[in-house]
Amino acid sequence: MMPSRTLSHRGLKLAALFLLLLLAFFLDIALGPVRIPLPAVGRIILSFPGQDSSWQYIVDQIRIPKAFTAVIAGCGLSVSGLQMQTLFRNPLAESSVLGVTAGASLGVAAVMLAGGNIATLYTIRELGISGSWLITIAGCLGAAGIMLLVVVVSKTVRNNVMMLIVGVMIGTITLSVINIWQYFSAPELVKDYLLWTFGSLGGVTGSQLYILGTVTLAGLILSFLSSKMLDALLLGENYARSMGVTAQRARIIIICSTSLLAGSITAFCGPIGFIGIAVPQMARSIFSTSSHRILIPGCCLIGTVLMLLCDVIGQLPGSQTILPINIITSLIGAPAVIWIVLSKNNINIYG
Amino acid sequence: MSSGLNLLETQGLQAGYGSRRGPHVIIAGPLSIDIRPGELICLLGPNGSGKSTLLRTLAGLQPSLGGAIDIMGETGGMHRRPAQLAKKISLVLTDPIRNSNLTVYSLVALGRYPYTGWLGTLNEDDRRIIAWAMEMTGIASYSNRKIGTLSDGESQKVMLARALAQDTPLMMLDEPTAHLDLPSRIQIMQLLHKLARTTQKGILLSTHELDLALQAADELWLLQKGGRLDRGIPEELVINGTFETVFDKEGILFDKHTGTFHMHSGGLKKIGFSGNGVAAFWTKRALQREGFEVTDEAGGVCVEEGDKTVWVWESFSGEQRFTELSELLKALRNG
C-alpha cells in the first residue's frame, strides 16, 4: 500500500544524504591545521604511489582515524537518542539530557582519578588494548547504572516534563560526585580529566578505534534487531504488551544497547551532547516515518553527516585552533532543542 | 473444567490492585464468568466500580489477585506469555497515542506484530488482513494520514482497525465510544455487533452508554461497587430489576417501558396526558423534564389538526389550546 512515490522520494533522499556524507568525509580529512587539497586526499585514500609523505602521514595516522571516530560517534549517539526517545516516549530524551552521559563520565572519572598518577587517560590509552577496554567498560557500566535508575524512575513519573527534570537532576548529582572527586585529586589528573570533558574526536587511534568500532557496532546491531519491538513501544507499554512484547525484556535490551553506544563513545570522545536529540528529530521529518527499520539507518546517515560537519566547523578553516567538538554540537544542538519545543509547543505530544 | 466452547473462562477470579502498604485492594470478584464465540458483551457499571481494572486483569495487563483465568486453554494469569496471548486477545485501550508521526496504515500494520518476522516485514496475508480491517472500520480513505491529524472518532476507528488486524478470537475494548459523538458511537457499536456475528469473535467492551449497550449487547455484565457482578441478556436484567438497582442514584429514574433513564428533581407533581405518535412521545419527555410524573388520567391531550399538532389542556379556567409545545410548558410553569 506504500505509494511508490514515497519510496522513490526516500531513495532520492538517501542518495542525497550519502553524497553529502562522502563530501563531509573528504572535507573533514582535507581540513585542519595543515590543509590538504581534496584531489590529494582522494589519491592518498586510493593509495596512489608517490604522494607527499607528510600529507600521507597526516591523512593515514590522524585524519582518517578522526573521521572514522566521527562516523562512529555520529551513528552511536543518534541511535542511542532515538531509542531513548521511543522508550520514554519523549522527544527530548537523550543520553546527555537524562544523565546517562554523566554516568559514563563517572565511570571514566573513576578510572582516571582513582588510578593515581600512572592511570591518566594518556597512560591508559598507551596501555593499549587492556587500558582501552578498561575505560570502555567503566564508561558503559556508568551509563548503564544511570540508565537503569532513570528507567526505574520513569515507571512512576508519567509526565514528560517531570521526567526531564528528574533526568537533569540525576545528571547534576552525578556530576557533583565527580566534582567532589576532582576536588580531592591531584591537579595533573584533574587537568587531564577536564581536557577529556571538552570532547575530542582525535586521539582515538589504532586498536582503540577497533574497540570503539566493535562495541558501537554491537550496540547498533542490538538496536536494529529490536527495531520491530521499538515500533510497538511507540504505542506505549500496554499496547506493546498486548501485541506480544515482554516489557521487561524490551527495557533490558534498550538499556544494554544505549549503554554500549553512549558509554563507549563518551569514554573515548568525552561527553558530546545534543546529537542524540537533533538527529532523530531530523530523521523523522526527512523520512516522514516512525518505523525504526528506516529511522535507525537514517539516524546513522544523518548523524554521521552532522558529526563530520561539526568536526569541520571545529577546524575553523584558516586557523590553527581546533575547537572542542562538545562546544560545536552544543552550539548547533541547543537551538535545535529550542526549535523542537517551540514548534511543538507541547513536548507531551511526541513525534 | 473448560467446556472447550468458551474463549475465556474464570474461576473465582479476583481483580484489584496491589497496594504498597497494607493488603491488596480487591475491586471485583470472586467472579466466575465466561465469554463465548460470536458474543458481544458490554461491561457496565458506575464510575469507579472497577470496569477498567477487571478488563485489564482479564487481558493480562495486570496480575489477578486470586482465582484462575483460562483463555483457550492458556492459564497462569500475569505469567501468561505476552507472545502467546497476543494471538488470542487484542485490545483497544484508553491510553493516548502520543506519537503523531505514525501514519494510519503503519499503526494498523502494527497489529500484525505477533505474526511477522523479526524485522516486521509484511507478507501478502498480512497486507490482506490489514486492508480488510481498514475496510471494515471505514478508514481506508485516510490510510496515509498522520495520527496527529485525526479527530477522536477517526483515531478510535484506527485503534479498532489495529485490534482487528491482530486477528484474535477475543477482543477487549475499554470504553471505545468515549469522547465520540452520537453517530460515531452508534457506528462503532453496530460494527462490533456485526463483527461478533460474522467473525465469531468474542468481544468484551466496557462502556457508559447504557442505552446503546441495551440495544447491541448479547449479554450485559453489570459490575457494582463492592465487586458483585450480575450477568444476563439485557432484557432479562431489565425485567428482573437488576439494571435499576445497579444504577440507582438520587434524581435518576429508569423507565422499564422505554429502556431509558430520566432526570427528575424529586417531589413529583402528577399530570394527566394522553396522545399517540411522535408528538405525544416528545411531549411526555418535555413534561418529565419539567418535573411532572405523567399519568394516563384526564388532563391534556395532543391532537393533530391537518399537518399541525395542537395541545388541548383542561384547567379550572376552562379549556386551553396551544399550538406550540413551548407555550404549553410556559403556561404550566406559571401555574
Side-chain angles (χ1 to χ4, degrees), chain A residues 291-341:
Chain A
S291 162
H292 289 80
R293 253 192 312 166
I294 297 159
L295 284 181
I296 290 173
C299 275
C300 284
L301 261 180
I302 299 170
T304 301
V305 171
L306 200 66
M307 205 69 203
L308 285 168
L309 288 180
C310 283
D311 194 39
V312 167
I313 294 169
Q315 313 280 2
L316 280 181
S319 133
Q320 294 293 307
T321 329
I322 296 177
L323 281 180
I325 191 74
N326 193 3
I327 294 173
I328 313 291
T329 58
S330 301
L331 277 178
I332 294 175
V337 172
I338 295 173
W339 172 66
I340 292 170
V341 173

Side-chain angles (χ1 to χ4, degrees), chain B residues 92 97 103-105 107-108 133-134 137-143 145-162 176-181 183-185 187-188 191:
Chain B
V92 174
I97 302 303
T103 63
V104 168
Y105 187 86
L107 196 151
V108 176
M134 295 182 55
T137 47
I139 61 169
S141 58
Y142 46 90
S143 68
R145 271 172 66 189
K146 300 269 159 112
I147 294 300
T149 67
L150 301 179
S151 71
D152 286 341
E154 287 169 331
S155 61
Q156 196 60 18
K157 282 186 210 160
V158 172
M159 295 318 288
L160 185 57
R162 191 211 58 82
T177 54
H179 311 300
L180 302 187
D181 56 16
S184 310
R185 275 184 259 173
Q187 227 180 352
I188 290 213
L191 176 61

Side-chain angles (χ1 to χ4, degrees), chain A residues 162-238:
Chain A
M162 276 167 68
M163 187 63 231
L164 288 174
I165 293 171
V166 171
V168 169
M169 289 306 128
I170 290 176
T172 309
I173 293 168
T174 315
L175 291 176
S176 304
V177 172
I178 301 175
N179 282 341
I180 294 171
W181 206 331
Q182 280 180 313
Y183 190 77
F184 291 107
S185 297
E188 57 271 28
L189 296 181
V190 172
K191 187 187 166 229
D192 217 39
Y193 175 78
L194 276 181
L195 279 176
W196 172 85
T197 59
F198 284 127
S200 161
L201 297 174
V204 185
T205 50
S207 62
Q208 296 156 11
L209 193 56
Y210 287 116
I211 292 171
L212 178 60
T214 312
V215 175
T216 307
L217 192 66
L220 288 177
I221 289 173
L222 198 57
S223 174
F224 192 71
L225 287 179
S226 49
S227 57
K228 180 182 161 184
M229 185 187 77
L230 287 165
D231 280 351
L233 281 173
L234 288 175
L235 301 189
E237 219 164 83
N238 281 328

Side-chain angles (χ1 to χ4, degrees), chain A residues 228 238-239 242 288 348 350, chain B residues 93 98 100 113 116 146 166:
Chain A
K228 180 182 161 184
N238 281 328
Y239 273 120
S242 83
S288 183
N348 281 319
Y350 165 46
Chain B
L93 303 167
R98 284 188 283 186
S100 46
Y113 190 97
T116 54
K146 300 269 159 112
Q166 206 170 327

Side-chain angles (χ1 to χ4, degrees), chain B residues 183-196:
Chain B
S184 310
R185 275 184 259 173
I186 295 172
Q187 227 180 352
I188 290 213
M189 282 299 231
Q190 275 176 334
L191 176 61
L192 290 171
H193 186 77
K194 192 172 100 185
L195 275 172

